[in-house]
Every structure is written in structure tokens, then in C-alpha cells.
Amino acid sequence: METGYDAIVVGGGAIGCAIAWRLALTSRRVVIFERGEVGREATYAAGGMLAPLSEADEDDDFLHLCRASLALYPRFASELATASGIDIEYRREGTLYLSLNSDDDEELDHRFAWQRSAGIDVARLTPEQTLALEPSLNPALRFALSFPDDHQVNNRRLIEALRLASVAAGVTIKAGSPVSRLLIEPIAGVPTITGVITNRGTTRSPLVIIAAGCWSSLLFETSGISPSPWRIGPVRGQMVSIRTPADRLRRVIYSRRGYLVPRLDGTIIAGSTTEHAGYDCLITPRGMATIIGNAGEMMPSFGDYPLAGTWAGLRPHTADSLPIIGPDPRIRGLLHATAHYRNGILLTPLTAELIVSLVDRGRTSLDLAPFSPGRFAVPQAAG
Ligand code: GLY
């Protein structure tokens, strides 16, 4: 049995590593248990868009959460660079959202109107203005919305930076170590977390944070916390990348059917599918055809460049599509930081800050009620 840790983080993706890093900076002894390799699941598969406005159709709590996290990115990127020596390629060129048919017109006109009236910096560009910015785009585009406040980051550099920063801050990372059970004991009559069981045995800690993406709620079943108040399911996203000369594209490009993310070395990543296909990370001909078709609609030359890669990842999704951040309503010492669905990379800095604030002060400056684990009704046990 291992003891002496102030906190156990279950899951070594961007969220788990960021939490561990930040907690270690408060002089806590932290261990991460990762079932596979650090950052090789949803974090690795992502596109790295930090783009809350491009897809927002209302001014709601989730948009506020996303914008608050985006606002942390400049400092987060610079602190990570200092701690790890890695530039995570945080870029502020903005994003362009293309209208390519009359249905697109309607949705984008609505988005433009409400964001404009809410005082958000959004512009409606003519095809000429759009093509002047990005000459590789489809000349048949009808108009584009420009979101200068939406940014991007290189998610694979991000996770490497987080891993190195965590280790430098003293975090112990145990990869290839799936947590099979949470240890819960009654202490003074209250169910309380006391550690976890992995393939390495028992590790004790009074604080456990679950950041295990689409594997998070499976832990309830193996730990006797049943029935589970929520289920986090996997939603597969397939991706394709091509190699182009550098600067063929500078901004992230969206349509209602897909997106293109340019990296500084000329790689362009195209996504994605949204598939309920279980815990199966297959890449399928249908998925590839869909992504490549949608990419070609935005950038007609997309299909002419050499393929650089194909991959798939599993987004962690729960019933209301919102993240689950905060203390477990039933078990003392257990915190959740999971179900970030399409916005895990964007929400990484804020989620880490919120968890550290909960651990340090038992509260956060931001109202977490819409994202709290307590929003789910606890189902009655059968029988
Ligand atoms: N964040 C983009 C996606 O989930 O496809």
C-alpha cells in the first residue's frame, strides 16, 4: 500500500495533468494514475481550437465558462513555457466561419445578429474580403463571419508541456495504471474517499479527482456507487491531416459541417465526425469520406495534398452536454473534473483553477451550479 499523497488524479489527459500541476505548485504531493499513455486519448485527438464564439448561439452559462477559460490562456501558455520549455503555439489569428449555402446563411445571420447586439467582436465579411485573408478558400463562399477573439493552440504540444511541467513540479505520473476501484469508507458516518486501487495495488489519499474523460463514470460501477447519478459516454471524432506548404492557411476555418485547423509547419487538420460508436476508436472509410468532403467544400485544394495522418478520439459526453466540475454530492473528498465533451482543451486552464480553488478554499469565484455534479438527480436503487 502506498500512502503520503495529498491528492490522487485519475486520468492523465490535459485536464488531469493541469490539475496535478497546479495542485503541486501549492506544495501538495500529487500522483496521476493514467490507464494508458499520458495525453493519448481525447487530448491527443483534439484539434486545439479555442473557439467559444464561433459555435455559440446564445449567451449562456457555458459560453461564460468557455470565455473565462480562454481569457486565462495567454498567462497559462507563458507559465507553461517557463515551466516546461515548450511553446504550445497559442495563436490569436482568429477564426472564420463560412456560409456555403442558404441554410448556412440563416444560421450564421442569426449568430451574427445576437453576438453583435451582445457587444461581441464579430464581423460579416464579403467573399472578396474573406479570400483576401485566406486565398485557399472556396471562391463560391457566400460570406464569412470573422471571430477575432477565438484562438487556437497546438494540443499535442500542450500535453507534452503539461507533462513536463507536472514532473518538474514534483507530480508522480503512473502511466499504464488503470484505476479499478475507488476506496470509500464511512468516516464519522459520512461516505469518504480514502484512496484508489490500481494494478499496482492500493494508494491512499484523502482527496481524489476524477478527470478520466469517457472512462470517468465507469468507476462508479466498479466502486459500488450505484446506480450512478450520471453517465459519461464516448462520442467518437475522426480526424484527417494533410501536409501543405507553410502558411497555406493561417486561421481556423469552420463550416456547419466541419473545420480546418492550420499548424505552423503547414499541416492542416480537418475534422470531424460525431459518432456514438461505443469505446471503439476505429477510423472508417465513411468517416474519412465525410471529413474530406467537408474539408474540400471549404478549401477546394484540400484533396490534392499528401495525407499526413488519420486518427480518432472519444469525446466524454454526458446527458446535457455540459462538463461536470466540483465536489461529489455523496462522497466527501471526491471531486469531478470531467465530461468536457467538445471543449476539453479550451476548458483546461479554468478547470484546473476551479479545482485548486475548491481544494484550497472550498469555493470558487465563478458560480459552478450549472456544472456541478449535484445537478443530476440521484436515482433510486432498484429493489
Ligand atoms: N472541438 C471540436 C470537436 O470536438 O470536434
Side-chain angles (χ1 to χ4, degrees), residues 33-115:
F33 287 109
E34 161 55 43
R35 57 190 289 282
E37 282 180 64
V38 166
R40 284 293 171 143
E41 298 290 353
T43 295
Y44 206 69
M49 297 91 83
L50 310 176
L53 297 169
S54 297
E55 296 187 12
D57 281 321
E58 56 181 328
D59 195 4
D60 57 10
D61 294 322
F62 184 63
L63 181 60
H64 286 221
L65 189 81
C66 289
R67 295 189 80 187
S69 198
L70 180 56
L72 297 178
Y73 248 101
R75 217 176 92 194
F76 190 67
S78 123
E79 288 175 3
L80 263 181
T82 306
S84 70
I86 292 184
D87 171 8
I88 63 170
E89 297 178 359
Y90 170 59
R91 293 169 60 190
R92 306 177 205 219
E93 283 90 347
T95 68
L96 295 174
Y97 206 122
L98 311 186
S99 179
L100 295 152
N101 63 45
S102 57
D103 288 344
D104 295 351
D105 288 357
E106 203 176 314
E107 185 167 316
L108 294 197
D109 277 333
H110 166 75
R111 197 165 298 160
F112 177 66
W114 88 258
Q115 292 201 8

Side-chain angles (χ1 to χ4, degrees), residues 49 259 272 315 342:
M49 297 91 83
Y259 50 79
S272 179
R315 307 175 184 92
R342 308 183 75 98

